[in-house]
Amino acid sequence: QVQLVESGGGLVQAGGSLRLSCAASGRTLSNSVMGWFRQAHGKEREFVAAISYSGGTTYYADSVKGRFTISRDNAKNTVYLQMNSLKHEDTAVYYCTAAHGILPISTTQASRFASWGQGTQVTVSS
């Protein structure tokens, strides 16, 4: 069983930055694709970014490409999401997720990921 705990959310002005962290426990995730999704109020959960188990390959939603950077530290069992140039439309609850087993890095369906954190709220004021 994997436990994922997100942190780093908060309130920021448009144009600002935040760094989210996701700490995993229960099992090593060094062999797992990790990702971030977000869910705005009244909307479906949507893919944000994913990273391969080695950290060498990343994949982003078009809406965040060039502004967000996903990274991981397998020694710390932690995944990060650096968010720059934040926009009001980035406001959402952000969820960390981990795949169990082999998963293509370009997978964007939430149902394909096995473990989820509780989420952290990011609010961007305009």
Side-chain angles (χ1 to χ4, degrees):
Q1 191 73 6
V2 176
Q3 292 79 43
L4 303 174
V5 179
E6 303 95 335
S7 61
L11 174 64
V12 64
Q13 288 188 333
S17 299
L18 281 175
R19 188 194 194 203
L20 305 183
S21 298
C22 171
S25 61
R27 64 183 278 267
T28 180
L29 294 174
S30 60
N31 293 322
S32 303
V33 169
M34 301 286 294
W36 289 92
F37 282 70
R38 67 186 181 187
Q39 187 166 17
H41 183 68
K43 296 187 177 181
E44 293 186 355
R45 192 169 297 191
E46 66 172 0
F47 171 80
V48 175
I51 188 167
S52 64
Y53 65 88
S54 69
T57 303
T58 56
Y59 188 73
Y60 297 93
D62 288 342
S63 59
V64 306
K65 201 173 297 183
R67 300 188 297 122
F68 291 10
T69 302
I70 188 171
S71 62
R72 67 192 295 166
D73 185 339
N74 286 338
K76 297 181 179 179
N77 241 14
T78 301
V79 177
Y80 306 96
L81 185 67
Q82 177 67 44
M83 305 185 296
N84 298 329
S85 303
L86 282 162
K87 305 176 182 180
H88 177 67
E89 50 264 41
D90 294 319
T91 296
V93 177
Y94 283 71
Y95 297 91
C96 176
T97 185
H100 294 180
I102 298 173
L103 191 71
I105 189 65
S106 58
T107 300
T108 60
Q109 302 98 318
S111 61
R112 300 288 301 279
F113 289 84
S115 297
W116 293 86
Q118 293 300 306
T120 184
Q121 176 71 46
V122 171
T123 303
V124 184
S125 62
S126 56

